[in-house]
Amino acid sequence: MRIDGISFLPASREMSNQDVLDEIRKHSADRFDGDLDRALTYINGMMESTQLQKRYWFAEDERPLDLMVKAAHKAMAQAGCKAEDIDLLIYAGNCRGFIEPGDAYFVAQALGMDGVDCFDVLDACMAWTRSCDIVQSHFAAGRYKKALIVNAESYYVPGGVSYPSNFQLTGLRDIAHCFSAYCGGDGASATVLAADGGDDWEFNFSSVKSGADLCTIPLGGYESRSMPSKRIGLNGLGAFTSFSSQVFNIAGEHMVASLSKLAPQRDQIKIVFPHSGGSVGEYRKWAEQAGFGDVVKFIYPQFGNVGSASIPAAIALHVESGEVCRGDRIGFWLGSSGMSFVAATLCY
């Protein structure tokens, strides 16, 4: 399987850490019980400790669908293909407009792909990686020849999964399950994959369920579909709730073990792209423990956590900069809510 084209387009509204603090103040001032200035100082210190500098949100006149279409056209232009050449389209994002049918149908409609097979893959930040694994299996079965994977993370559109719900603090305790939302970013990615011309990608998946309720976006009726938990739904139905510190505490040993599975190819791997899921220091520490500390490259400081777009975004940005060239062996590595982990490698 080969990447024929890959693109990432961030949303247009650049947001500094101070801009995020201003949004928290705007939505919390009339409800916060305590010293809001102290809380904002604490949040700012936490953001800075992760090495986050900026991220991008959708502007009022921007639509996720339009950015996805633009990203798809860019990736298809790189691949030298047209809409009619795509025989499988997958939508693989955390954010979505529909439960029925899948968002993939509306993206395909917007791209003029009337006859394309399409479906959604839902697995939090792992969705793009799962989609690549699924595509590779379909290619091996001879079912398709060219696939397009798209996503658009839109956490911060009004009424989005993170905004304004996570910005309406009532007290210091809320920071524990809202902080992750201050580190995210919006954007769209598109990846054109071809069955011919490349080697098989290596995927090393693993999973634990002890943190299944730590990072959630619940729907109505979730109580009858999950074990009882006081962590779910704290920011409301359809809203993001994440206990990021606890997520990282559980993830550490599994992230190290996951990346260590690429050790046999360590000398051939030029770059490893980690998920843009948070603290650069933590990811670097884990990478060093696994023996890959000198080859990890981060996009988190400039774009924040762009969810399921994080790995295609990292690859696309480094292809554009010339740091990744044809024939380079690269790796990618992430943990996702649920919780699941992967370390993968491919020849670009």
Side-chain angles (χ1 to χ4, degrees):
M1 184 169 70
R2 183 185 70 233
I3 295 176
D4 271 4
I6 189 164
S7 67
F8 170 68
L9 300 174
S12 66
R13 183 185 174 192
E14 183 177 320
M15 298 288 292
S16 67
N17 289 346
Q18 184 58 53
D19 291 331
V20 169
L21 295 173
D22 291 344
E23 289 287 340
I24 300 170
R25 182 183 294 279
K26 179 173 72 175
H27 291 284
S28 302
D30 63 350
R31 68 185 70 213
F32 193 84
D33 182 14
D35 188 339
L36 182 56
D37 287 333
R38 178 188 173 196
L40 294 174
T41 298
Y42 175 68
I43 292 168
N44 186 54
M46 290 177 67
M47 288 192 292
E48 290 183 346
S49 72
T50 69
Q51 299 186 34
L52 178 59
Q53 300 170 22
K54 61 183 179 181
R55 75 291 277 153
Y56 296 85
W57 290 10
F58 278 101
E60 290 184 6
D61 61 347
E62 245 181 330
R63 301 199 317 152
L65 178 62
D66 295 337
L67 200 62
M68 263 191 293
V69 168
K70 187 176 179 180
H73 283 307
K74 183 176 179 180
M76 288 191 292
Q78 292 174 12
C81 69
K82 300 178 181 179
E84 55 265 32
D85 298 321
I86 303 296
D87 45 18
L88 174 64
L89 185 151
I90 300 176
Y91 177 81
N94 288 333
C95 301
R96 59 193 55 250
F98 298 88
I99 297 174
E100 182 181 353
D103 276 46
Y105 289 85
F106 295 97
V107 179
Q109 183 185 51
L111 288 168
M113 298 180 180
D114 189 56
V116 73
D117 279 356
C118 61
F119 54 83
D120 287 11
V121 169
L122 177 62
D123 191 16
C125 296
M126 192 67 72
W128 182 85
T129 302
R130 295 287 189 193
S131 298
C132 292
D133 188 30
I134 291 168
V135 168
Q136 181 162 272
S137 296
H138 279 311
F139 284 168
R143 195 164 292 131
Y144 305 105
K145 293 184 178 180
K146 202 171 289 287
L148 173 65
I149 303 173
V150 296
N151 50 39
E153 303 296 26
S154 54
Y155 302 104
Y156 305 99
V157 298
V161 297
S162 293
Y163 184 87
S165 58
N166 281 256
F167 292 74
Q168 299 170 332
L169 299 178
T170 61
L172 287 171
R173 288 185 177 182
D174 291 349
I175 298 172
H177 61 263
C178 291
F179 175 74
S180 285
Y182 310 147
C183 302
D186 292 338
S189 80
T191 309
V192 175
L193 297 172
D196 299 326
D199 298 329
D200 286 347
W201 298 16
E202 176 188 329
F203 297 95
N204 297 282
F205 290 105
S206 60
S207 182
V208 296
K209 311 305 179 294
S210 55
D213 62 348
L214 289 176
C215 189
T216 59
I217 303 173
L219 302 176
Y222 75 86
E223 296 93 339
S224 63
R225 294 173 174 269
S226 61
M227 298 295 290
S229 174
K230 295 181 179 180
R231 296 166 172 159
I232 300 174
L234 293 179
N235 289 321
L237 295 178
F240 180 60
T241 299
S242 177
F243 290 85
S244 53
S245 292
Q246 295 181 55
V247 169
F248 271 69
N249 286 340
I250 293 175
E253 64 177 297
H254 301 287
M255 291 294 286
V256 174
S258 177
L259 185 56
S260 296
K261 292 176 182 178
L262 297 184
Q265 300 192 64
R266 173 64 183 83
D267 292 341
Q268 289 75 46
I269 294 175
K270 180 179 180 179
I271 296 175
V272 170
F273 297 116
H275 176 35
S276 63
S279 172
V280 168
E282 286 297 303
Y283 277 90
R284 190 176 297 282
K285 178 183 70 176
W286 297 335
E288 289 173 351
Q289 291 175 16
F292 287 83
D294 58 331
V295 294
V296 287
K297 295 280 188 178
F298 298 91
I299 66 167
Y300 171 79
Q302 300 300 315
F303 296 95
N305 183 355
V306 289
S308 62
S310 67
I311 300 303
I315 297 173
L317 290 166
H318 286 78
V319 168
E320 289 181 3
S321 70
E323 294 175 81
V324 171
C325 302
R326 284 296 177 192
D328 286 342
R329 176 156 294 280
I330 61 175
F332 59 88
W333 167 55
L334 68 154
S336 180
S337 62
M339 303 171 65
S340 60
F341 310 91
V342 72
T345 182
L346 65 118
C347 186
Y348 177 73

